[in-house]
Amino acid sequence: PPTGSSCRTYQGMSSLRLFPWIVGSAAASSGFLTSHSQVKSFPWTASTRSFNQALHDAFPGGHSVTSFTESRPGLDVSTGAFVGWVENDLLGGADPFGAHGGRVPLPWPQGSEYDDDQVGVGHYVAYSRRQLCFIVAKSLTGATTDGYANGLQRFLEKRAGSCYPRTGDFGRGLVVLLEACYADPALVDGGQGPLLVVAKASGAPAVGQVWAEAHAPLTRAGLRVCQYDDGAAPLGGGLELVPSEGCQQPSAGAPGKDFMTGGLAGQATQDISAAFLGGYVFGNACGLGGGQDERLMTYMPEVAALTFFLSQHWQFPQLRQPAWILGARMLFSGLDGTGRFNDPPVPRADSPITSDVQNVELGGATYGVSSSRPFVAFQSENQGFFSWNSRFVETPLARRNKLPSQREVSPSSWYAFDKQVRAWYRSIALTSYHMAVRPAMKALVRSVGTGPWLAGLWWGDSQLGFLAVWLGQAIAASTWGDAVAPLPVDFYMYSAFTESPSSQCFVHSSERCRACIQSCNDHPLPGTAFWMPDEAFFSGRSCVPIGDDCGGHGVQHVAAAYSGKTARELWTDIEARLKAEGGSTARTVFDVLLDSQKAAAQPETLLP
C-alpha cells in the first residue's frame, strides 16, 4: 500500500496490536527478569561525548545507515534521523528502566553462585531489546554504571595498542545494532521489544554422574555431518547429512552456509570459548582477530554487549562459560568457519527484526524471543595441557595429532578424555540450566552446530574431539526429550577452520585426509582469517604438511562400527585401547579404536 496515512496509522498503533507475540504479562513487563533472589540497581554517570561524536569515532570516514528489509515503514535512514532517534528517543525518551527508577538492575549472585560474573551458576537473566540498546548507547557515549564497573564500558574505552574498541570493528558492530533497534517496529513508542536471555549452566557434575547416564544409545546424538569446503571426496558409510539449508559450499568470493553463517532454522552456533566468552580481546584488540570466539563477538554484537556488561571482573570482565544466549542475531554477513571472507564485516540488510520472533515460556509467562540464531559457548577442558616452555616442540606435534599427552585417559588427569565428555555433556544437557528457562530452550533450539571443538587453539586431538562431541551429545540428548534424536548434533568438517587450519582433516581416512590437507595448502587462509602463535606454523605455513600422519579409518568407519552401540561401550573402548597403546601415537585414535594397523589398512575404495 502507499505510504502516508498507513504509515501514520502504523506508528500510532500499540506494540501489542502489531506484534501478537507480546502477550500476557510480557505486554506490561519491565523487560528485566532473573532467577536470582537478590538484585542490585545502579544509576548511570554522565556521558562524556554525544552519540554523534561516538558515531564519528567509529566511522571517521562517514557511514550509511543500514536499510533493513524488515524496517518499520517509511523509516528515514539518513544519518541525522538515526542520530536524532538515539539521542532523543532511545536516550532522551521514556527510560526503558523506568520501572527500576532509571537504574540498571543486575542479578547479584551469593556465595558459591558467584562465578566472576553477574549470572550465577545455574541462573538466568533477561533484558529487553530496547534495554540492551539503551545500555549500548550509554556505553558508546562514555557513560557507565555508578558503583558497578561493568565490562562493556571498560572494554570500549580500553586502549589496545593505538586504538580503542569503540573506534574499531567492535564499536561499529554496536552502532549497527543500534541501527537495527532504530528500524525495529516493536520499539516504537517506547516499546520494549523481544527479550534476550542469558542462562548459565549449573556446576560441573562428577565424571561418575555422566558415566551413569552413558547407557544411552549413540543414535540419540542424531549425528549429522557437513563437509564444508574440506577438499575431500563425499563421505560414504551411511552418515546422515546436515540439511542443505545449513550445508552449502562457499563460492570464490563469498561464504556458503555452515553453523557460523546460519541458515538452518533453530540450529545453535557453538562458540569454542575460553573460560569466558569473547576470548582475550580485553585490552588486546579493537576489531577482528583471534579465534572463532573473538570473531563472533563482532558479528553478533548483542552477544558481545551482554558478555561484557554482565561482568565487572578486574582482569577479564566477561561472561563465564558454559552459557546460552537466546534472542541474539547475526547482524553481519561474511563469517563462516574458515573466516576467509570475514574482513570487513558487512551489515546484513536482511537481518531478522520481527520475522523470527517466537513466543516462548519463561518463568511461567509468555515472551517474544528472536529464534534465528541460538548461541551456546563453552570450552574444552584442556587449555594449557602442555608446558609453555616446550611449546615450540609440542605445538607442531599436537597439530598433527602426534602429541602423546593429547591421548591422556587417566581419571586423575584434569585434561583427560573423560573431562572432555563431561564438558560437552554439562554444556548441552537441558538439566544443567534453570527450570524456568528450559521451555524456552526447547522451543528455540532444534540442533547444535559445531566444528573442531577441542582441536582448535587448545591443540587437542581432532579425532578425540569428534568422539567427545558424539559421546557427550548422545548422553545429554535424553534431557531434551524422548524422541530417537531429540537434539541432533551437526558436525562440520573443514580443510581450513579459522583455528588450527587443516588439523581437522585427520577425522578423514587416508586419501580423503590427504586431499583435505592438500586443499588447505593449495588455498591457505589469508592473514585476516585466523590467528595462531608463532610456534604453530610449519616453516611459515599455517597448514600441516602433507605426510604420513593420516590414518586408514575416518569418521564414517567409526560411526558405522558403533552406530548400534551405547555411549558407554564406545567410551570404554576408547579409554581401554588408548591405555593399552602406552602413549604411542604411531597409529591414529580411529585406527587404534578399530584395531587396524595403518600399514595394513585396506585401500580407500574398500573403505567408503
Side-chain angles (χ1 to χ4, degrees), residues 375-398:
F375 180 92
V376 58
F378 56 95
Q379 68 171 355
S380 52
E381 296 187 23
N382 67 323
Q383 182 182 7
F385 73 95
F386 56 83
S387 170
W388 173 261
N389 294 329
S390 61
R391 66 191 187 280
F392 282 94
V393 173
E394 295 191 305
T395 304
L397 288 172

Side-chain angles (χ1 to χ4, degrees), residues 18 39 117 202 207 233 253 370 418 443 455 478 485 494:
L18 284 166
V39 173
D117 63 34
S202 54
V207 170
S370 174
D418 60 356
S478 63
Y494 302 84

Side-chain angles (χ1 to χ4, degrees), residues 168-213:
D169 292 328
F170 291 111
R172 290 188 280 273
L174 294 175
V175 168
V176 172
L177 169 57
L178 294 180
E179 292 173 356
C181 288
Y182 172 50
D184 194 337
L187 271 58
V188 168
D189 297 331
Q192 293 278 18
L195 288 183
L196 292 104
V197 184
V198 180
K200 285 275 292 293
S202 54
V207 170
Q209 292 178 254
V210 184
W211 175 262
E213 301 297 324

